[in-house]
């Protein structure tokens, strides 16, 4: 979603603040007039540009908060999804064949040999597409796992690889300018641990490795090449594996049973762990359909037949993880929409509070102006009274002075007459 679509919705919310500008017009009329002039000039410039032949681009659809989830879904579908699988198991257990069967394709790769001096992790990324949904699939294989005489440190390269992916993503998040929308997230989502179909018990290597990995990644145990043992042996083998995992404190992935709508289905899926699977790259005609199967002299083993193996359950696991991811995406979309709505409400509340404060400030200034005006009028009246009183005293003084002058003049004339006589 482009930010332009978000900004297009902000002016109506901010438009409610127009009453604020009108209310404080007596206080700050000049800035409002300046903004109005600037807006008029901008509108004139735009009109001039359009008149010069600029191409206008109409909106392709409705823009608003209610269309935000659809925009995020469309963006996610166009960008595609990322899914990373770690396949851990000894050489020759059919890890590559199972991946080809699970995703119904043929991944390019060279078969591993038993001559590796140590365990190496080989990562391959493929771009898959189903309908209009694109998937960036990364398959990480453990080349040479279990081929060494001393298997004590076989788990260390796997743990270091998983930690390195977490560290790389953390470093990308800590950058000042992050580009997570184009960054290839290589963190492992699920670990398929392939168990050899011995029919007896888990190897010490399997227990140690799963114990080291269970706190870092979701582990789904798989009995590879399950057609190598009988149905009764397979049932006992599953019970033995589950018992050993529990007794050694190994935490494997459990389907969530908190939601009542999926509790029964997920409980059934948990009961099938570890999954006994069969992989095949060959398709045989069974009835009127072409199906993936393995042809033996004694019969045919169908990969997608639940009576033959648990491949369908494993595929449902993959679908459940994908649905869980989509559910989280929808949850994030809803949270983001609620966050935007909350921000708009907070902004409206801030604008209303600012409007209230401006009204109160205007009232205070108006009252202060009236008080000052009254004080000035009272002072002016007092000064006028003083001026009038001063004029009256001045007039009385002048009158007394003129009377005194007249009296002095008559006395002088009287003395002059007396002297003459």
């Amino acid at each position: 979603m482009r930010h332009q679509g978000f900004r297009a919705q902000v002016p109506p919310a901010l438009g409610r603040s127009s009453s604020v500008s009108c209310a404080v017009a007596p206080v700050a009329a000049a800035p409002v007039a300046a903004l109005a002039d600037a807006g008029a000039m901008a509108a004139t410039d735009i009109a001039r540009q359009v008149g010069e032949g600029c191409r206008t681009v109409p909106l392709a659809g409705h823009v608003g908060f209610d269309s935000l989830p659809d925009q995020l879904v469309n963006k996610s579908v166009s960008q595609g999804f990322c899914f990373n699988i770690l396949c851990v198991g000894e050489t020759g257990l059919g890890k590559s064949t199972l991946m080809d069967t699970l995703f119904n394709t043929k991944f390019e790769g060279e078969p591993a040999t038993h001559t590796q001096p140590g365990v190496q992790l080989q990562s391959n990324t493929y771009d898959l597409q189903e309908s209009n949904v694109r998937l960036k699939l990364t398959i990480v294989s453990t080349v040479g796992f279990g081929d060494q005489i001393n298997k004590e440190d076989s788990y260390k390269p796997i743990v270091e690889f998983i930690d390195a992916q977490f560290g790389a993503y953390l470093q990308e998040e800590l950058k000042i300018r992050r580009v997570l929308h184009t960054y290839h997230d290589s963190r492992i989502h699920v670990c398929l641990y392939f168990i050899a179909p011995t029919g007896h018990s888990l190897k010490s290597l399997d227990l140690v490795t799963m114990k080291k990995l269970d706190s870092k990644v979701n582990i789904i145990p798989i009995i590879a090449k399950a057609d190598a043992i009988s149905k009764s042996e397979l049932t006992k083998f599953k019970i033995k594996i589950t018992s050993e995992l529990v007794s050694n404190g190994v935490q494997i992935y459990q389907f969530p049973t908190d939601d009542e709508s999926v509790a029964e289905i997920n409980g059934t899926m948990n009961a099938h762990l570890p999954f006994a699977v069969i992989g095949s790259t060959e398709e045989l005609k069974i009835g009127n359909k072409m199906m993936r199967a393995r042809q033996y002299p004694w019969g045919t083993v169908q990969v997608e037949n639940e009576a033959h193996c648990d491949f369908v359950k494993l595929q449902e696991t993959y679908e459940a993880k994908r649905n869980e991811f989509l559910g989280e995406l929808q949850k994030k979309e809803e949270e983001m929409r609620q966050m935007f709505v909350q921000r708009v409400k907070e902004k409206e509340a801030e604008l209303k509070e600012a409007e209230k404060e401006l009204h109160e400030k205007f009232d205070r200034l108006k009252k202060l102006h009236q008080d000052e005006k009254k004080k000035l009028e009272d002072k002016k009246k007092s000064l006028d009274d003083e001026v009038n009183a001063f004029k009256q005293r001045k007039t009385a003084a002048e009158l007394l002075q003129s009377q005194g002058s007249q009296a002095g003049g008559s006395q002088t004339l009287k003395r002059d007459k007396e002297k003459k006589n």
Side-chain angles (χ1 to χ4, degrees):
M1 183 190 66
R2 294 176 296 178
H3 293 289
Q4 185 177 359
F6 171 71
R7 293 179 59 187
Q9 291 300 307
V10 177
L14 298 180
R16 298 184 178 92
S17 63
S18 59
S19 60
V20 178
S21 301
C22 294
V24 298
V27 182
V32 176
L35 289 174
D37 294 340
M41 293 175 64
T44 304
D45 294 339
I46 294 175
R48 186 184 299 113
Q49 292 176 2
V50 173
E52 293 174 358
C54 290
R55 182 172 63 92
T56 59
V57 181
L59 292 175
H62 174 67
V63 178
F65 290 111
D66 55 348
S67 63
L68 179 62
D70 296 333
Q71 295 176 17
L72 292 177
V73 171
N74 295 333
K75 179 181 178 181
S76 300
V77 171
S78 63
Q79 290 182 348
F81 300 95
C82 177
F83 193 63
N84 305 323
I85 302 178
L86 172 64
C87 298
V88 181
E90 299 178 6
T91 307
L93 289 181
K95 299 186 292 296
S96 300
T97 303
L98 183 63
M99 290 297 101
D100 294 345
T101 308
L102 184 62
F103 293 97
N104 194 24
T105 186
K106 179 63 178 177
F107 296 116
E108 298 179 358
E110 298 180 357
T113 62
H114 293 268
T115 60
Q116 298 292 337
V119 179
Q120 298 179 2
L121 278 86
Q122 184 177 3
S123 178
N124 296 309
T125 302
Y126 309 94
D127 291 323
L128 307 179
Q129 184 166 354
E130 180 179 352
S131 299
N132 63 334
V133 179
R134 294 188 298 110
L135 173 67
K136 183 182 288 294
L137 175 67
T138 300
I139 300 177
V140 183
S141 301
T142 53
V143 180
F145 182 78
D147 293 341
Q148 296 76 32
I149 297 177
N150 184 4
K151 304 179 178 62
E152 183 180 0
D153 297 332
S154 296
Y155 68 88
K156 289 185 177 179
I158 305 174
V159 174
E160 292 173 357
F161 177 84
I162 296 175
D163 291 340
Q165 309 317 308
F166 283 117
Y169 190 84
L170 178 62
Q171 291 300 321
E172 186 65 26
E173 279 192 327
L174 295 178
K175 289 183 179 179
I176 297 177
R177 299 182 63 182
R178 295 176 293 180
V179 286
L180 293 178
H181 61 284
T182 59
Y183 176 75
H184 179 208
D185 186 3
S186 58
R187 294 175 297 176
I188 301 300
H189 297 120
V190 64
C191 170
L192 299 181
Y193 196 94
F194 290 73
I195 301 172
T198 60
H200 298 292
S201 61
L202 288 172
K203 298 180 181 180
S204 300
L205 174 63
D206 298 331
L207 289 172
V208 172
T209 304
M210 282 194 280
K211 184 64 177 176
K212 296 294 182 180
L213 297 180
D214 64 356
S215 61
K216 300 179 181 295
V217 68
N218 296 320
I219 299 177
I220 298 178
I222 293 175
I223 302 175
K225 296 185 175 181
D227 54 340
I229 55 178
S230 64
K231 294 289 289 184
S232 59
E233 290 176 340
L234 182 59
T235 303
K236 295 179 181 178
F237 191 33
K238 281 190 173 184
I239 296 174
K240 183 66 174 178
I241 291 174
T242 304
S243 176
E244 290 182 346
L245 292 175
V246 173
S247 61
N248 287 275
V250 178
Q251 301 292 330
I252 63 174
Y253 177 76
Q254 294 289 327
F255 293 89
T257 57
D258 300 335
D259 191 354
E260 295 181 356
S261 60
V262 294
E264 184 177 355
I265 298 176
N266 288 349
T268 305
M269 297 290 288
N270 290 330
H272 281 82
L273 290 172
F275 296 126
V277 298
I278 302 170
S280 176
T281 57
E282 300 178 359
E283 289 189 353
L284 301 177
K285 188 174 183 180
I286 300 175
N288 296 326
K289 296 181 179 180
M290 297 297 294
M291 303 179 65
R292 289 182 179 269
R294 300 185 71 90
Q295 184 69 50
Y296 293 99
W298 46 264
T300 303
V301 178
Q302 302 174 21
V303 173
E304 298 183 9
N305 190 336
E306 295 190 33
H308 294 177
C309 69
D310 296 331
F311 176 80
V312 175
K313 294 291 188 299
L314 178 62
Q315 203 167 31
E316 290 176 358
T317 302
Y318 165 71
E319 294 293 336
K321 290 294 293 182
R322 186 172 68 174
N323 293 335
E324 181 182 348
F325 176 78
L326 293 176
E328 292 178 356
L329 177 63
Q330 293 177 356
K331 183 179 179 181
K332 289 181 180 179
E333 292 170 3
E334 183 63 24
E335 291 177 353
M336 187 174 295
R337 181 171 64 178
Q338 294 296 333
M339 179 181 65
F340 284 146
V341 172
Q342 182 64 27
R343 287 185 178 179
V344 170
K345 291 181 179 179
E346 291 176 356
K347 192 65 178 179
E348 290 178 353
E350 291 178 1
L351 291 174
K352 289 181 180 179
E353 185 66 24
E355 180 181 6
K356 182 180 177 181
E357 291 179 357
L358 288 174
H359 278 297
E360 292 177 352
K361 183 177 180 181
F362 175 72
D363 292 339
R364 288 196 302 270
L365 292 176
K366 185 176 180 181
K367 184 178 179 181
L368 180 63
H369 174 71
Q370 292 175 352
D371 294 341
E372 292 292 335
K373 183 178 180 180
K374 188 174 182 303
K375 289 180 180 179
L376 290 175
E377 290 177 352
D378 294 341
K379 191 173 183 179
K380 181 181 178 182
K381 183 179 180 181
S382 176
L383 290 175
D384 290 340
D385 294 340
E386 291 180 0
V387 169
N388 293 331
F390 175 76
K391 288 181 178 179
Q392 291 176 0
R393 290 196 299 272
K394 181 180 179 182
T395 302
E398 290 177 351
L399 180 60
L400 292 175
Q401 185 177 3
S402 60
Q403 292 177 355
S405 299
Q406 292 176 0
S410 59
Q411 290 179 0
T412 303
L413 291 174
K414 186 178 180 179
R415 285 198 297 269
D416 293 338
K417 288 181 180 180
E418 291 176 354
K419 288 181 180 179
K420 289 180 181 181
N421 297 327

